[in-house]
Amino acid sequence: MAKVNRKFIDEVGSRFNASACMSCGACTAICPMETGMLPRMLFRFTMLGQDGKIRENEDTIFSCLLCRMCEVNCPAEVPIAENVRLLRGYFDVHVFDLAR
Amino acid sequence: MSLPKKHVLGILADNLKLRKSVLPLSRRALTRWARGLDIPYGGETVLYTGHMYQLIPKIGAMANRMAKFEDSWIRRWMGLGRVINRGINLTRFMAHAKRKERRAYDRVLRNIALLLREAGVEFGYLYGDEMYSGALLHDQGIDAVLLPHARRLQALFAEHGVRRVITVDPHTTNMLRSVFPEMLDGFDVEVRNYLEVLADYDLPVKNPLEMGLTIHDSCVYARYEDVIDQPRQLLARLGARLQEPELSGKMTHCCGGPIESLFPGKAHEIALKRVEQLSATGCAVAVMCPICMVNLKGAANGDGPGFFDIADVLAGAVLDDPSPVRQTTDERKER
Ligand code: SF4
Ligand code: SF4
């Protein structure tokens, strides 16, 4: 079972906002990257505090085009591209040490 | 496999911190396009290039070089490259843009300035004092490095009394119009893209376009900045017969460019998909973003109907110079 890290969501930042996501999968179905992971699953992992799963998906997170094709089709108006950008910010600070 | 993110992003972030641009170019290279145009320095309204068109030939050359590194042993030495780059701007020597490419992108900027002038719009230019917008670092989420840069840009506008900015590409438009007002207190500069500005005017038609044209919408214009109708209005008024590709407007398909710096291979696959959709119309393609241009052209590799910057297309119809679009499509027909 994946370990839950309650601090993780704070480290991603308060602007991360996927609470309206109803996990319909419309975003994943239309995503040109066709990874099956972008973006819905990443939001689940984040909200569940599974930082290990997020770290495993570093390449997926950085390969998002931020093209917003998914957002146009999201029935819950989740700010998907901004959320992905914030996940990158987590890596920049906590993995790549780029914040200084 | 991607290029080592920590080091590639580190080099770009260091460059922005130390040299005010992700890939610093000389003042001469940045302002060469404006030579002989006598654009006044500064003013309340400025044409702001944000360096994107000047950077793209270099970025294209770098991307080709980096694509070769993606699966090679050189990846392992990029950490050392980052350390050296802090003292000596290594990115300057890594790849050189072709002269022909540089001229083509400079010509787009000239055409934009001349079109605005033809419409009667008055504007200045900050020449070598202009700064890169920081779009690439924003995309990568490196806000801690972007913020001080954004403040420098805000101070530049304040120092020169700039109140209105006319941008030339989607990424700079997005940074100045949507990102900085959220990020900075009191950033209240009015930002419009040149296509939005030109759409307000009835440009004189000297050489009607009378040709089929396919529009490739940039994701950033279409889905971030709502610039969809203006380019269509401008081209239609000048006589183009517009063709919509399989995915267009709000549903446009990305060119792959945003992931070029880390995943050149995947970026190429996305660009190929888009080239296929665009080529299916059989018409020349009007492109509105230099990043889209370099990716789509690279993927097409000389095949297909041809890719043209929309400013060159408009200039061909409105200015006295012959259109590079018309010339090239005629040449293709003759082949
Ligand atoms: S389309 Fe929106 S609501 Fe549906 S899974 Fe994706 S983010 Fe959640
Ligand atoms: S923004 Fe990212 S997740 Fe959304 S469609 Fe584009 S590539 Fe896929």
Side-chain angles (χ1 to χ4, degrees):
Chain A
M1 192 137 126
K3 199 169 143 250
V4 171
N5 174 1
R6 302 210 182 278
K7 248 178 62 199
F8 173 62
I9 186 81
D10 294 333
E11 286 168 350
V12 174
S14 58
R15 282 184 299 137
F16 183 91
N17 175 11
S19 54
C21 172
M22 52 185 105
S23 216
C24 68
C27 49
T28 308
I30 204 161
C31 173
M33 294 308 291
E34 297 175 354
T35 60
M37 187 63 69
L38 269 174
R40 184 183 67 105
M41 291 296 281
L42 301 173
F43 298 168
R44 295 286 112 194
F45 293 146
T46 307
M47 289 190 293
L48 290 168
Q50 295 190 359
D51 59 331
K53 284 280 184 195
I54 287 296
R55 283 181 184 235
E56 271 171 36
N57 281 289
E58 179 190 303
D59 268 7
T60 311
I61 290 165
F62 280 87
S63 67
C64 170
L65 299 156
L66 303 183
C67 70
R68 283 192 174 172
M69 182 80 119
C70 48
E71 273 183 42
V72 176
N73 291 281
C74 172
E77 297 182 13
V78 174
I80 298 175
E82 179 61 9
N83 284 344
V84 173
R85 218 183 63 77
L86 293 169
L87 287 175
R88 288 180 182 176
Y90 168 81
F91 279 91
D92 296 334
V93 176
H94 298 278
V95 181
F96 306 151
D97 196 21
L98 293 177
R100 286 172 292 128
Chain B
M1 194 186 285
S2 86
L3 290 163
K5 294 175 206 71
K6 179 180 166 96
H7 304 314
V8 174
L9 298 180
I11 288 171
L12 299 174
D14 290 344
N15 275 349
L16 194 77
K17 251 187 286 188
L18 300 168
R19 305 179 179 109
K20 297 188 194 167
S21 178
V22 282
L23 287 178
L25 295 180
S26 69
R27 202 178 176 98
R28 188 169 157 268
L30 292 168
T31 59
R32 188 176 34 218
W33 69 271
R35 211 177 285 158
L37 293 179
D38 293 326
I39 304 173
Y41 178 85
E44 285 198 355
T45 303
V46 294
L47 181 63
Y48 200 81
T49 75
H51 299 178
M52 291 296 286
Y53 276 90
Q54 300 93 319
L55 277 170
I56 283 298
K58 172 92 172 173
I59 288 177
M62 289 278 283
N64 288 338
R65 179 60 60 93
M66 301 291 265
K68 291 188 183 114
F69 294 169
E70 204 174 6
D71 295 312
S72 93
W73 56 269
I74 297 179
R75 301 174 76 251
R76 288 199 293 267
W77 294 94
M78 283 195 164
L80 179 63
R82 183 181 174 197
V83 175
I84 298 171
N85 186 67
R86 286 195 188 121
I88 307 161
N89 177 13
L90 272 189
T91 48
R92 189 161 170 203
F93 309 104
M94 268 183 69
H96 295 286
K98 291 195 187 114
R99 191 154 178 244
K100 196 175 150 205
E101 291 274 300
R102 288 198 323 249
R103 283 193 168 167
Y105 285 96
D106 279 354
R107 185 190 60 217
V108 174
L109 293 173
R110 286 182 78 80
N111 277 337
I112 291 170
L114 292 170
L115 284 163
L116 288 166
R117 217 175 243 177
E118 188 72 25
V121 179
E122 287 183 16
F123 58 89
Y125 173 42
L126 291 171
Y127 290 83
D129 293 330
E130 212 189 47
M131 276 186 242
Y132 172 63
S133 70
L136 188 53
L137 286 208
H138 180 256
D139 279 1
Q140 301 304 344
I142 314 175
D143 292 358
V145 179
L146 177 63
L147 183 61
H149 182 75
R151 289 199 183 114
R152 278 196 295 230
L153 212 146
Q154 183 176 28
L156 176 78
F157 286 162
E159 184 191 331
H160 292 278
V162 174
R163 302 177 68 86
R164 283 172 298 276
V165 163
I166 303 172
T167 50
V168 298
D169 73 88
H171 299 268
T172 308
T173 307
N174 176 245
M175 291 299 289
L176 299 189
R177 183 150 82 187
S178 303
V179 176
F180 289 162
E182 286 271 311
M183 189 176 245
L184 301 163
D185 286 335
F187 187 87
D188 58 358
V189 175
E190 183 195 318
V191 180
R192 293 184 84 204
N193 173 262
Y194 81 96
L195 294 166
E196 295 170 301
V197 173
L198 289 179
D200 289 347
Y201 294 87
D202 261 328
L203 292 165
V205 191
K206 296 198 176 122
N207 314 292
L209 289 170
E210 290 169 355
M211 61 188 290
L213 261 184
T214 303
I215 292 189
H216 165 68
D217 292 281
S218 116
C219 300
V220 176
Y221 270 156
R223 288 192 281 264
Y224 285 69
E225 295 299 327
D226 214 17
V227 178
I228 296 174
D229 296 337
Q230 301 86 340
R232 286 168 172 76
Q233 283 164 12
L234 284 164
L235 291 171
R237 276 188 224 148
L238 298 175
R241 295 183 299 278
L242 299 179
Q243 299 280 324
E244 298 291 348
E246 187 187 326
L247 292 166
S248 72
K250 267 274 185 278
M251 288 304 293
T252 187
H253 190 285
C254 185
C255 68
I259 56 170
E260 181 73 53
S261 55
L262 293 175
F263 302 92
K266 280 189 195 170
H268 186 70
E269 281 170 32
I270 297 286
L272 278 176
K273 242 197 248 180
R274 185 54 171 165
V275 166
E276 206 176 295
Q277 292 165 6
L278 294 166
S279 302
T281 65
C283 300
V285 182
V287 179
M288 306 171 217
C289 166
I291 296 181
C292 296
M293 180 61 99
V294 75
N295 274 277
L296 296 174
K297 251 180 142 173
N301 200 18
D303 290 341
F307 296 86
F308 302 93
D309 194 283
I310 190 169
D312 287 347
V313 180
L314 298 173
V318 172
L319 306 176
D320 289 321
D321 290 341
S323 163
V325 177
R326 205 183 315 268
Q327 277 175 351
T328 315
T329 43
D330 287 349
E331 278 164 23
R332 278 170 190 268
K333 272 186 214 143
E334 279 163 25
R335 267 193 236 149

